[in-house]
Structures are given as C-alpha cells and as structure tokens.
Amino acid sequence: MSKDTLTITDNRTGKTYELPIENGTVRAIDFRQIKVSDDDFGMMVYDPAFTNTAATKSSITYIDGDAGILRYRGYPIEQLAEQSTFLETAYLLMNGELPTRAELDGFVHAITIHTMVHENVREFIDSFRYDAHPMGIVVSTVAALSTFYPEAKDIQDPEVRKLQAIRLIAKIPTLAAYAYRHRRGLPYVYPDNDLSYAGNLLNMLFRMREVRYEPNPVIEKALDVLFILHADHEQNCSTNAMRSVGSSHVDPYSATAAACAALYGPLHGGANEAVVRMLQEIGSPKNIPAFIDRVKAGDVRLMGFGHRVYKNYDPRASVIKRLAYQVFDEVGQNPLIDTAIELERRALADDYFKERKLYPNVDFYSGLIYQSMGLPMDLFPVLFAIGRMPGWLAQWEEMLRDREQKIARPRQIYLGSDKRDYQPISLRG
Ligand code: ACO
C-alpha cells in the first residue's frame, strides 16, 4: 500500500526514519532527529541559493517553468496583460480576488490621492550627486519614507499595513520620476490626479512647459502592460529579500528598500539595462556569431537569457516581444531590434543554449521598449521596481499572516578554524 512518507536509512548507524511527505515536500526540521549520538546536533539539509528549498507556502503566483506558465492568483499572465490594468492586477495580487467595480474604483482613488511625497523627500533627492544612479536614489528614498510614517512600525495592525501598501504603490512612481528629473537637472513635476497610473508617471517624467501633459495612449498602455508583467514572480531574489527582511518585523518601507536593493543587481532587475548595453556592444547582426562564441567560451553571459525556474520560453517575454512592435509602430523602430531578433534566433538554434534550456526571459525585450519610449537605461530597473511593488507587498502580507513563519535565519556548515588562542601582534610573524 502506498504511503505519503519517506523512509531514510542512516548507514552510519543503521537506524531507519520515516518522514511525512506533504505537498510533495518533506520538512527539513524532520531531518534533525537523524543523529549519530545523543550530543550530535542532528542532520541538516544544505542548499546554497535555495535551488531546491521551499521556504513558504503561497497562494499568490504559480509558475511552471518547464511548461512556460505564469499565473497570478490562478489567472494566466497572458489574459491579465490583454484584459486587465496594472492597478486591477495589483488589487488581485494583494486581495486574492479580482475587484468589483466599486472595489476597483475605491482602490484606484486611494492610490491616486497618495501619490504626493513630503517636500523633505524632494529635498532629500536634491541632495544626491547630479549623476546619481536613479536606482540608488530609489533604494534610499523608499527607506527614508519610514521616517515620514513612523506609525508604519505597527505591522500587526492590518489597517496600518494596508495604508502603507497603498502609499508605497502610489509613491514609487513619484520617487522614480524625481530620481530621473534630478539626473537630468530638470524641475520636478508634481503628480496629476486626473491621469492614469502609467499616464501620471509619463507626466512626471516628461512634462516640460505644457499646461497639461497628454500621455501618448499607446505608450501609456504599453507601460501599464509592462507593469502587469512584472507585478509578481513568486520567490525570486527581491521577494525573498522582502520576506526575509520583513520577517524581522521591520516596517514595510525598510523591507521594500531591501527588495529594491536586491532588484538592482545585474542578475535580477538590472538585467534589462545590461541587455541594451550588450546589444549596443554587439552593434550589428554580423557580429553575433563572434559574440555567441564568447558566451560559449564563458567570457560573457548572454544577458536576458536563462532563468532559475523557466526552462522554456518565459511567457512574459512573448507578450513583451509583441508589445515592442506596437510601441515601435508608434515611435519608430529601435535600431537594436534587428540585432536582438537575430541574437535570439541564433541562440535558440545553438546546442549550448538548447542543452542548458536557456530561453529569453522578461528582460530580453523590455529594455528595448523602455529605450524607444525615450527612457535612459539606468531608469529601467526603477521601472521594474514600480511594477514589482504590489507583488512584494502581497508576499509581505502573506508572510506576516502565515503562522508558520518566523524570523528568517538560515543555518550554516562551519568549516573554519577550530578553537585557537589569541596572539599579541608582536608575536605574529
Ligand atoms: N548566458 C550564458 N550561459 C548561461 C546563461 C546566460 N545568460 N545563463 C545560464 N548559463 C549557463 C551557465 O553558465 C551554466 O552552464 P554550465 O552548466 O556549463 O556551468 C548553466 O547555464 C546553468 O546556469 P546557472 O548560472 O547555474 O543558472 P542559474 O539558475 O543560477 O542562473 C540566471 C539564472 C542568474 C538568470 C542566469 O541564467 C543569468 O545570469 N542570466 C543572465 C542574466 C539575466 O538575464 N537575468 C535576468 C533574470 S530574470 C529576472 O530576474 C527578472
């Protein structure tokens, strides 16, 4: 008769243990009973970079990396990209269900009226060097928000949590735009509450002397879809940072700053910037074979390719590729697109990439769209952070409500020196 258990025999002692299996998983703590002697600490599992460790149960995002499936709360990403809006998707991620009309209107209103930031935040941004990377500014100012809302420390109060979540979603575009305008030496543009979420971001980024900024509807829509595609991706590096730092019960601004910092790295949200730099370096389709040889020799990585969980085409990359052409129809073709398409074609036909199941990820085409919208490369990870905000917040909320969660604290295997006595510096060689 089949049983939902795992039987382990420890060949050091000959003892047998039976561990329960739940959801195709065994609990790492069950291994602790496996000991060679009474004073043995007990067995641990070793999993650098969590390649095979589930750190939480979650009901938010489902990914089947082999089949190239991504769903938020059960809804396929393709349907949400086609039919939803970013704020509706944000509501879905944070509340578990799609909103009614009244719920959506209330949510959009709440976000819209929280877009302003305290004037001290503006002055804080002013104090950065003229050429400061906008992501560095955003990481710091998101953290600084905790000093403006000290009540945010009360993370046990669901209403307090809800208000901070609304503030974070509402204010991150304002911080992003201020960071961009600071870099350009342009005056800051205050939020316009009559515009959509994406339309207002475009207003704060690009408005010059117009009395009223009218966003281009194609670009406004494309930006909204890009935010939907980035809104959550289960236990990725930045979400893990959000959960891990949040598990100390720090306020959500500090935890979100940690998530932004994790996203900044070139292996995560910084990859879209790295892709455009790579395409510029390749220069033209004729240089692709030589570039691919360098990738295969291990000299460089093909940025925007490969993923820890997708071993198939990233479903977000397919949507983004289509979206790119809609934007190019409006603003003109990005000259790097030919190189990108040819690079993808050659890589997908090459055994090196086939054997390792390396496919384009979300970042392969997103940078080209942002660039065509007239946005500088160092703003790309900031745009990713705007999109990912509701996902981070939904995961943070889920973590706080989860009775099984505690402060995140991994174990280690200590391989350093055994006890030794301190020597005064005069006796050291
Ligand atoms: N170019 C060339 N080779 C690659 C690439 C790549 N982009 N990605 C993985 N490989 C190779 C590795 O060298 C390794 O080969 P080996 O088995 O011969 O040693 C094999 O594929 C497995 O790669 P890992 O690094 O073990 O895969 P991991 O899951 O740790 O890394 C990652 C995933 C970080 C995304 C990686 O594929 C990468 O660096 N990609 C480029 C950066 C990028 O696009 N990041 C964005 C990810 S999506 C996101 O964060 C939104």
Side-chain angles (χ1 to χ4, degrees):
M1 198 185 76
S2 86
K3 267 171 100 183
D4 280 341
T5 59
L6 177 73
T7 301
I8 296 174
T9 303
D10 184 347
N11 294 322
R12 299 170 302 175
T13 58
K15 279 194 196 160
T16 296
Y17 303 83
E18 192 174 348
L19 312 186
I21 300 176
E22 194 192 341
N23 302 312
T25 311
V26 288
R27 285 186 180 257
I29 197 71
D30 286 347
F31 283 79
R32 192 73 73 73
Q33 61 187 296
I34 303 175
K35 298 179 176 194
V36 285
S37 61
D38 284 346
D39 59 355
D40 181 1
F41 180 74
M43 188 167 281
M44 296 190 297
V45 291
Y46 177 56
D47 187 9
F50 310 122
T51 52
N52 197 38
T53 294
T56 188
K57 295 173 182 163
S58 183
S59 315
I60 302 172
T61 290
Y62 173 77
I63 300 176
D64 180 336
D66 291 328
I69 291 172
L70 169 60
R71 297 182 198 133
Y72 299 159
R73 302 282 189 185
Y75 295 100
I77 190 67
E78 295 83 357
Q79 290 181 23
L80 292 168
E82 183 81 26
Q83 299 174 58
S84 186
T85 61
F86 175 61
L87 289 186
E88 185 184 60
T89 298
Y91 184 100
L92 169 71
L93 284 168
M94 291 163 64
N95 297 283
E97 298 296 334
L98 284 168
T100 62
R101 168 51 61 196
E103 285 166 341
L104 180 60
D105 289 348
F107 183 68
V108 172
H109 176 73
I111 298 288
T112 308
I113 60 167
H114 281 100
T115 47
M116 297 282 277
V117 293
H118 194 290
E119 285 293 281
N120 289 160
V121 175
R122 193 177 54 73
E123 287 158 17
F124 180 47
I125 291 177
D126 249 347
S127 67
F128 279 88
R129 261 180 67 137
Y130 72 94
D131 60 351
H133 195 294
M135 196 63 173
I137 298 181
V138 166
V139 170
S140 317
T141 45
V142 167
L145 287 181
S146 74
T147 64
F148 291 84
Y149 306 110
E151 74 275 19
K153 282 190 173 65
D154 188 5
I155 54 120
Q156 302 301 347
D157 184 333
E159 286 307 311
V160 170
R161 294 203 298 269
K162 199 169 154 191
L163 177 58
Q164 312 322 311
I166 285 180
R167 282 179 172 149
L168 274 160
I169 295 174
K171 292 181 200 305
I172 182 94
T174 314
L175 300 181
Y178 282 11
Y180 166 77
R181 306 271 304 195
H182 175 73
R183 186 112 155 81
R184 301 283 311 273
L186 291 166
Y188 304 119
V189 175
Y190 289 108
D192 181 341
N193 286 2
D194 290 332
L195 295 173
S196 72
Y197 189 82
N200 175 48
L201 173 61
L202 291 167
N203 161 61
M204 293 188 292
L205 290 170
F206 294 131
R207 187 168 149 215
M208 290 297 177
R209 300 290 297 153
E210 312 89 301
V211 177
R212 200 74 206 277
Y213 179 83
E214 300 280 348
N216 177 318
V218 175
I219 297 193
E220 184 181 1
K221 175 70 188 154
L223 203 51
D224 200 68
V225 174
L226 283 163
F227 290 155
I228 293 174
L229 296 175
H230 286 88
D232 195 46
H233 214 233
E234 50 117 307
Q235 307 310 313
N236 57 87
C237 177
S238 56
T239 300
N240 182 57
M242 180 87 188
R243 279 179 172 263
S244 184
V245 174
S247 77
S248 74
H249 288 185
V250 73
D251 69 87
Y253 301 102
S254 303
T256 305
C260 288
L263 190 71
Y264 192 1
L267 297 187
H268 191 14
N272 48 19
E273 181 180 342
V275 169
V276 176
R277 291 192 196 284
M278 172 190 74
L279 293 171
Q280 283 174 336
E281 187 196 320
I282 295 172
S284 113
K286 72 175 178 0
N287 300 326
I288 289 172
F291 180 79
I292 288 195
D293 286 345
R294 285 178 61 210
V295 173
K296 286 156 70 172
D299 295 343
V300 282
R301 283 218 156 181
L302 176 44
M303 299 311 285
F305 257 67
H307 200 277
R308 173 62 58 78
V309 288
Y310 290 120
K311 302 302 167 198
N312 199 329
Y313 214 99
D314 181 336
R316 301 168 300 174
S318 321
V319 179
I320 289 185
K321 199 172 168 185
R322 285 196 297 279
L323 200 63
Y325 283 99
Q326 289 166 21
V327 172
F328 298 159
D329 282 348
E330 189 65 19
V331 298
Q333 178 112 330
N334 187 318
L336 295 175
I337 188 71
D338 293 338
T339 308
I341 296 275
E342 182 59 11
L343 184 55
E344 179 193 335
R345 192 188 67 75
R346 287 207 180 235
L348 292 181
D350 193 295
D351 283 344
Y352 175 93
F353 298 89
K354 280 199 227 170
E355 279 160 17
R356 291 167 179 77
K357 299 192 176 162
L358 300 171
Y359 292 86
N361 59 48
V362 68
D363 288 321
F364 194 68
Y365 288 104
S366 61
L368 293 183
I369 306 185
Y370 293 140
Q371 200 185 36
S372 294
M373 289 175 176
L375 294 162
M377 274 185 270
D378 52 16
L379 203 67
F380 299 174
V382 176
L383 296 165
F384 194 153
I386 297 175
R388 184 54 56 87
M389 187 61 77
W392 287 334
L393 292 164
Q395 300 271 354
W396 173 70
E397 178 74 25
E398 189 178 65
M399 182 267 302
L400 290 175
R401 285 168 179 259
D402 184 343
R403 299 257 166 149
E404 284 196 295
Q405 292 295 336
K406 296 175 178 221
I407 187 164
R409 207 303 186 184
R411 292 279 175 181
Q412 66 166 8
I413 301 169
Y414 178 72
L415 298 176
S417 302
D418 211 346
K419 178 183 177 275
R420 47 188 175 160
D421 291 324
Y422 180 84
Q423 280 203 321
I425 198 163
S426 56
L427 298 180
R428 289 176 229 154

